[in-house]
């Protein structure tokens, strides 16, 4: 049944429950049994069976710009139910370099706080009163720096894709991705849409968490939500056509102009994350057998070389021996 919570206490108790993923794991095992019976020679399902047997971990990635509220959000979700590493307690805005940090909940969900990134911005125009030489020099320098920023940005997107899809044998794929953006921060619609496209086009459930919503007034909040929804609308849907939902969150209590503001939006985030988990997502944990993949590439080349060298009979013998 779809998850639904009336309070943050209910939602937190659910993600602290060790049996949370048992029903999901049972359905995933049934699906995996069919895959194992028909595709064992092509797919390596060892990791997938491990996830089913252990009821996790299922990785929830938190990504976004430095200072976007990722660490605060992860800390709010895990506080009181899991050990929180010191790296999650340190904000990226204070200059600490932060690598990906895993926070494993008792339920089997793993909250992964990723390193904050910088979105490239268009270069500034030269001073209007500057000399022609100074203007040209400034334009050339700004253009060079912008190209470097864009290059790093594209490299970052590539790294995120490999991370979410678990390209390395030792990695586990993303079960969901939460893009955190702090209310009041600059919004680069096109760049945010590029970042959102990475998980969406891999059919990974993706959400936008607008954090610190009480830091802006209603008018500004409306404009921010419109911009983020615009960024989401620019993303080409994956084959499963899962929508990107924008959630308004205030992760921690705070005082605004003498008014005490309680945390909000966390039950809704947990609801969306849990309802996005589907048994068929276990297939992300399968990997193509390296030997089978090697056969598809190397075998034709070996056969061709043998044919050119000694004729068809020898080529057939070499191909047969290779597969053995």
């Amino acid at each position: 049944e779809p998850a639904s919570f009336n309070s943050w206490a209910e939602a937190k108790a659910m993600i602290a429950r060790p049996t949370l993923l048992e029903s999901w794991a049972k359905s995933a095992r049934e699906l995996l049994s069919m895959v194992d019976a028909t595709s064992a020679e092509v797919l390596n399902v060892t990791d997938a069976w491990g996830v089913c047997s252990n009821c996790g971990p299922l990785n929830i990635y938190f990504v976004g710009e430095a200072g976007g509220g990722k660490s605060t959000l992860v800390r709010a979700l895990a506080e009181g139910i899991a050990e929180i590493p010191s790296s999650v307690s340190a904000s990226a805005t204070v200059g600490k370099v932060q690598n990906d940090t895993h926070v494993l909940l008792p339920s089997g969900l793993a909250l992964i706080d990723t390193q904050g990134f910088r979105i490239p911005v268009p270069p500034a125009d030269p001073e209007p009163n500057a000399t022609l030489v100074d203007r040209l020099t400034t334009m050339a320098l700004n253009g060079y720096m912008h190209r470097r920023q864009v290059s790093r940005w594209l490299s970052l997107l590539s790294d995120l894709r490999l991370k979410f899809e678990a390209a390395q044998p030792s990695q586990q794929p993303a079960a969901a991705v939460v893009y955190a953006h702090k209310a009041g921060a600059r919004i680069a619609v096109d760049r945010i849409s590029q970042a959102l496209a990475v998980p969406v086009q891999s059919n990974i459930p993706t959400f936008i968490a607008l954090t610190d919503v009480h830091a802006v007034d209603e008018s500004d909040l409306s404009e921010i939500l419109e911009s983020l929804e615009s960024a989401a609308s620019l993303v080409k849907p994956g084959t499963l056509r899962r929508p990107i939902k924008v959630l308004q969150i205030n992760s921690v209590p705070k005082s605004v102009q003498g008014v005490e503001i309680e945390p909000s939006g966390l039950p809704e985030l947990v609801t969306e994350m849990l309802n996005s988990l589907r048994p068929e997502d276990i297939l992300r944990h399968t990997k193509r057998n390296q030997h089978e993949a090697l056969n598809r590439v190397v075998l034709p080349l070996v056969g061709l070389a043998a044919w050119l060298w000694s004729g068809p009979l020898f080529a057939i013998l070499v191909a047969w021996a290779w597969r053995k």
Side-chain angles (χ1 to χ4, degrees), residues 27 113 121 123 125 129 134 140-141 151 179 195 208 228 255 287:
S27 299
D113 182 21
V121 296
D125 294 328
N129 297 328
D134 288 343
L141 180 60
S151 177
Y179 185 97
I208 299 175
L228 292 177
S255 178
K287 293 181 173 64

Side-chain angles (χ1 to χ4, degrees), residues 63-70 72-73 91 93 179-188 192 208-216 220-221 224-225 228 247 249-252 254:
V63 302
E65 292 183 80
K70 300 180 302 300
T72 304
L73 186 51
S91 170
T93 56
Y179 185 97
H181 181 87
K182 188 174 183 178
R186 170 186 52 84
I187 300 178
I192 291 177
I208 299 175
L210 178 60
T211 64
D212 206 16
V213 292
H214 294 295
V216 297
D220 289 339
L221 179 59
I224 293 169
L225 289 172
L228 292 177
L247 304 168
I249 297 175
N250 192 47
S251 303
V252 295
K254 64 184 307 181

